[in-house]
Amino acid sequence: MGNRLSKIVTRTGDAGTTGLGDGTRVAKDSLRIETMGQVDELNSTIGLLLTEDMPDDIRQAMIGVQHDLFDLGGELCIPGMDVISAAHINRLENLVEQFNADLSPLKDFILPGGTRAAAAAHLARTVCRRAERCIVHLASTETVSEYARKYLNRLSDLMFVLGRALNKAGGRGDVLWVQGKNRGND
């Protein structure tokens, strides 16, 4: 693989196609490639989040998620391949419980924001939801592992909780939505 990755400009995609991991060539605007791109964007968004100050346990969780997302991209790149498993889902569920345990119960809706790290976590959450919608769409026409879909669903839950946890770690509370706050203030 080292030799393969050392050549970046190949010109093989100039006609609007790209190769999957099994050697199949598909259009660059195919739903499978779009889904892979959404997962890649999510991974990059988490990479941006990791540039912020944060507690080490959150940092380690996010580094693990980045590796999972790369595996998920590989799974999507080779139709029929299964990499994401129930163990991945269980790990995310455990992380949600772990980080949510120290947070106060929610009584109101919250807005994305607070600290930069929390805002970045909320951005990653929304990118994750988009990737999830894309993988659900792909699954309506092609075979996709149920664990791949579940992984993105659980990950968006984790990113929501981490947004709150990062605000708490940064000395900020949740940014609460106030219904009708700006009504009549024209």
Side-chain angles (χ1 to χ4, degrees), residues 20-24 32 36 71-84 135 138-139 141-148:
L20 295 178
D22 65 359
T24 306
R32 182 166 295 276
M36 290 166 51
D71 288 341
L72 176 56
E75 179 175 314
L76 291 168
C77 185
I78 302 175
M81 181 178 185
D82 292 329
V83 177
I84 303 299
I135 206 168
L138 178 63
T141 59
E142 298 185 43
T143 302
V144 176
S145 161
E146 71 174 289
Y147 294 122

Side-chain angles (χ1 to χ4, degrees), residues 25-170:
R25 294 211 59 86
V26 297
K28 287 187 176 186
D29 65 351
S30 74
L31 188 52
R32 182 166 295 276
I33 299 303
E34 175 65 22
T35 305
M36 290 166 51
Q38 296 289 339
V39 170
D40 187 34
E41 182 180 351
L42 172 58
N43 205 341
S44 295
T45 305
I46 291 173
L48 183 62
L49 167 61
L50 283 166
T51 67
E52 299 293 331
D53 288 331
M54 66 184 66
D56 192 57
D57 56 347
I58 294 176
R59 179 172 305 285
Q60 292 309 311
M62 290 294 88
I63 290 170
V65 163
Q66 279 199 301
H67 286 271
D68 291 348
L69 289 173
F70 203 86
D71 288 341
L72 176 56
E75 179 175 314
L76 291 168
C77 185
I78 302 175
M81 181 178 185
D82 292 329
V83 177
I84 303 299
S85 67
H88 291 88
I89 310 306
N90 292 335
R91 185 169 36 80
L92 289 182
E93 289 175 355
N94 290 335
L95 288 169
V96 168
E97 293 301 318
Q98 172 190 334
F99 291 116
N100 197 46
D102 294 331
L103 300 174
S104 60
L106 275 178
K107 297 178 182 171
D108 298 295
F109 290 107
I110 64 169
L111 299 175
T115 64
R116 280 179 52 103
H122 282 290
L123 178 60
R125 174 185 55 80
T126 63
V127 172
C128 186
R129 285 289 189 202
R130 184 166 17 101
E132 180 187 8
R133 290 189 301 271
C134 201
I135 206 168
V136 166
H137 188 192
L138 178 63
S140 71
T141 59
E142 298 185 43
T143 302
V144 176
S145 161
E146 71 174 289
Y147 294 122
R149 293 190 311 256
K150 287 180 181 182
Y151 185 88
L152 291 175
N153 185 273
R154 296 308 184 286
L155 180 56
S156 64
D157 293 340
L158 176 61
M159 298 315 300
F160 176 80
V161 168
L162 291 183
R164 296 188 68 213
L166 287 164
N167 268 338
K168 183 177 178 183

